[in-house]
Amino acid sequence: MIVQFYRCLSVRRNIFLMRRKHSSRNVLKYQDKGLFHDIFPSNSAHEIIDLCNGAPQTVYAGFDPTARSLHVGNLLILANLLHWHRGGHHVIALIGGATGRIGDPSGKNKEREEQKEEIVKENVNYISNIILKIFENHKKYFWHENTPLVPVSLVNNAEWYKSLSCVDFICGIGRHLRLGQMLSRTSVASRLQSEQGISFTEFSYQVFQAYDWLHLLNKYNCRIQIGGSDQIGNIMTGHELITRVTRKSVYGVVAPLITSESGDKFGKTAGNAVWLDPNMTSPFELYQFFMRLPDSKVSEILSLLTFLSAGEVKDLVASHMKEPDLRKGQKYVAEKITLLVHGEEGLASAKNTTKALYSRDIKALAGLSSEDLTSGLRGAEFVEILLRPGITVLEAALAARCFLSQSDAERIIKAGGFYVNHQRSTNPSEILVNGLHILPNKISLLRVGKKNYWIIKWLS
């Protein structure tokens, strides 16, 4: 069905561009980048096209505050919303202050632990600030047209549930939904067959998401919902509710889920998410996450998370594959996404830390603060040591607890497995020298082997 949808868009695109010569409102022209996995209802391609061609639309996507930060997996929906934003449409980011307490069963094999209301409220504030920052950075660094952008709206669904009684909700909304259809949703059916089962709380999640859409339709005339492909069941429930209550036509546009080569959700592998909050994942770590993308994922990520056209993506991938060791594709993605999430200052910090740690440039290393190094080298030991004249390499290594014993220290240092500021140090008795071992920023970076780091901040 989605192939037919794309063909329709290609035909309609030329007509639309003749009608609005300088407009980019037809955001769905980017179908050749793979931004849209499916639509619902499946036979509504022409309706969506006519709707978008006729006037700016209101679209929304929801984000539940299950943590204090979004992660890189959420970037796909945010990028999708930004394309609508660039097309002149009104974009709503819904933060689930209410639904975040309930928990979406989609893609989960067991129920989330209930979060306290005060924690959810804090998370709502953190996530709202992250989303606003991304839209501000987009406008500042990526929007080069004269046409002003429609400001993004942030709404919290806790606002409309706090005045709605349980009985009124069930009587007014529940009667429009059919249990058989709700039970058939994949997210529900898979849990019903599991040992964990599914609670009424989680089962009701799709009802609340459906009502969110109805509320936004009534207040903002929001007729399009954006979601990941794991949200199709919830979108279908929303469509069912709105059709029965208002008989208005609404549409779901589903984005693909990005997964790693092993099939794990993008950026949330084994509980080790790459967060968009710089206090949880530094700009350097975000930058390095994309620098480490395998070549097999470069084309997909360029298409889905950047503003390059399909032709520009193809050209960049071709250039990348000619000299894959230069990692041109990964570098482009890392720079653009770090700029989008953290701005110029965050990107500069990420690039400076990268240069200091991977170029073996002592001058670059000297330009970093201990905070930069600590955030850049998560897991590195940080120690403060009183600097005294004549301290040796061995004494510094032992003071920083790089080794379990002095004999281990002497053996490994002499064998060439110890480094001070990227330089191999093989003489345990060598005295530390200012400018070489002790940098002007009063820092020394010690390394044992390839990956074990210690950061010393010297105290006077």
Side-chain angles (χ1 to χ4, degrees):
M1 173 56 229
I2 199 67
V3 173
Q4 180 185 351
F5 181 40
Y6 292 165
R7 287 173 181 165
C8 292
L9 290 172
S10 297
V11 172
R12 296 288 296 189
R13 179 183 176 190
N14 292 331
I15 298 173
F16 178 74
L17 291 179
M18 285 190 292
R19 190 190 312 169
R20 302 183 59 86
K21 185 176 179 181
H22 300 293
S23 174
S24 58
R25 189 165 290 151
N26 189 10
V27 65
L28 300 180
K29 66 186 178 180
Y30 294 112
Q31 79 280 359
D32 52 356
K33 291 181 64 179
L35 289 175
F36 308 108
H37 176 74
D38 210 342
I39 58 171
F40 185 84
S42 59
N43 61 351
S44 60
H46 287 291
E47 296 176 35
I48 299 176
I49 296 164
D50 288 338
L51 196 65
C52 293
N53 283 351
Q57 296 302 307
T58 300
V59 303
Y60 100 94
F63 304 88
D64 277 342
T66 53
R68 61 173 282 171
S69 174
L70 301 178
H71 56 80
V72 295
N74 299 117
L75 282 173
L76 179 60
I77 299 302
L78 287 168
N80 202 300
L81 288 179
L82 283 168
H83 279 292
W84 290 90
H85 186 54
R86 292 163 69 87
H89 301 283
H90 177 206
V91 168
I92 297 175
L94 184 153
I95 315 297
T99 46
R101 297 184 63 194
I102 296 169
D104 185 357
S106 302
K108 306 293 186 299
N109 54 22
K110 63 179 181 179
E111 188 167 5
R112 296 180 187 271
E113 292 185 10
E114 182 182 359
Q115 295 194 87
K116 294 182 179 179
E117 185 176 2
E118 56 268 27
I119 298 298
V120 172
K121 287 181 178 179
E122 289 180 3
N123 291 346
V124 167
N125 291 332
Y126 284 124
I127 290 175
S128 297
N129 289 333
I130 289 171
I131 293 174
L132 284 175
K133 182 69 173 178
I134 287 175
F135 275 82
E136 289 169 2
N137 286 338
H138 165 265
K139 180 180 178 181
K140 186 174 182 179
Y141 304 115
F142 295 90
W143 184 245
H144 308 300
E145 305 292 332
N146 294 325
T147 309
L149 293 167
V150 180
V152 61
S153 297
L154 263 66
V155 297
N156 179 355
N157 62 12
E159 293 301 315
W160 51 85
Y161 287 114
K162 65 184 180 183
S163 59
L164 187 62
S165 78
C166 175
V167 173
D168 288 344
F169 183 74
I170 292 175
C171 289
I173 301 303
R175 69 177 65 254
H176 297 290
L177 298 171
R178 295 296 173 262
L179 194 60
Q181 291 172 313
M182 294 173 66
L183 287 168
S184 69
R185 308 301 186 217
T186 302
S187 59
V188 173
S190 61
R191 287 285 295 279
L192 284 172
Q193 297 170 7
S194 70
E195 292 183 7
Q196 292 283 338
I198 186 169
S199 68
F200 174 75
T201 300
E202 281 191 306
F203 177 69
S204 70
Y205 184 92
Q206 59 183 300
V207 180
F208 285 91
Q209 184 167 327
Y211 182 74
D212 286 343
W213 195 358
L214 175 62
H215 176 85
L216 296 180
L217 174 69
N218 290 334
K219 187 170 183 178
Y220 300 99
N221 194 31
C222 178
R223 300 179 66 181
I224 299 173
Q225 181 180 171
I226 309 298
S229 58
D230 59 346
Q231 290 296 305
I232 188 64
N234 294 330
I235 290 174
M236 291 166 70
T237 302
H239 181 273
E240 177 188 351
L241 174 64
I242 290 170
T243 301
R244 290 176 181 272
V245 172
T246 71
R247 301 197 178 280
K248 290 184 179 180
S249 297
V250 294
Y251 310 94
V253 177
V254 179
L257 288 182
I258 309 178
T259 60
S260 66
E261 287 187 309
S262 61
D264 295 308
K265 278 190 177 182
F266 192 60
K268 206 169 184 180
T269 305
N272 189 24
V274 179
W275 303 103
L276 305 186
D277 183 332
N279 296 312
M280 298 173 68
T281 297
S282 70
F284 166 77
E285 290 175 296
L286 180 69
Y287 184 90
Q288 286 301 316
F289 174 81
F290 288 103
M291 283 296 293
R292 292 193 294 268
L293 281 177
D295 290 338
S296 61
K297 302 295 289 186
V298 167
S299 178
E300 179 186 17
I301 301 305
L302 282 170
S303 294
L304 297 177
L305 298 185
T306 74
F307 303 111
L308 294 176
S309 68
E312 289 169 329
V313 169
K314 185 177 180 180
D315 290 343
L316 181 53
V317 171
S319 176
H320 166 82
M321 295 309 296
K322 288 180 181 178
E323 299 176 289
D325 291 345
L326 297 180
R327 305 186 76 75
K328 291 180 183 178
Q330 288 92 337
K331 185 176 181 180
Y332 185 91
V333 171
E335 288 186 355
K336 297 305 180 183
I337 292 180
T338 305
L339 181 62
L340 180 66
V341 175
H342 297 302
E344 284 184 334
E345 185 176 344
L347 176 59
S349 172
K351 294 176 79 170
N352 289 338
T353 305
T354 296
K355 182 179 180 181
L357 295 180
Y358 296 118
S359 70
R360 306 296 188 256
D361 186 333
I362 292 182
K363 289 184 178 180
L365 191 61
L368 298 182
S369 66
S370 57
E371 291 77 13
D372 290 333
L373 273 174
T374 302
S375 64
L377 292 169
R378 298 277 183 180
E381 297 290 335
F382 176 80
V383 293
E384 296 181 330
I385 300 175
L386 183 64
L387 179 61
R388 58 178 178 78
I391 189 170
T392 66
V393 167
L394 176 62
E395 290 169 336
L398 293 175
R401 298 183 180 178
C402 299
F403 302 98
L404 295 176
S405 66
Q406 181 171 333
S407 59
D408 283 343
E410 290 177 340
R411 174 176 56 81
I412 293 173
I413 291 172
K414 290 177 181 179
F418 185 71
Y419 300 79
V420 181
N421 300 331
H422 301 313
Q423 307 300 312
R424 180 179 277 114
S425 181
T426 58
N427 181 5
S429 301
E430 183 179 9
I431 295 174
L432 299 187
V433 177
N434 280 317
L436 178 63
H437 303 100
I438 302 171
L439 300 176
N441 54 4
K442 298 301 179 183
I443 288 174
S444 296
L445 180 64
L446 311 184
R447 175 161 60 93
V448 178
K450 294 183 177 181
K451 298 181 179 179
N452 301 306
Y453 287 92
W454 285 259
I455 302 163
I456 295 180
K457 183 176 183 179
W458 296 102
L459 305 177
S460 302

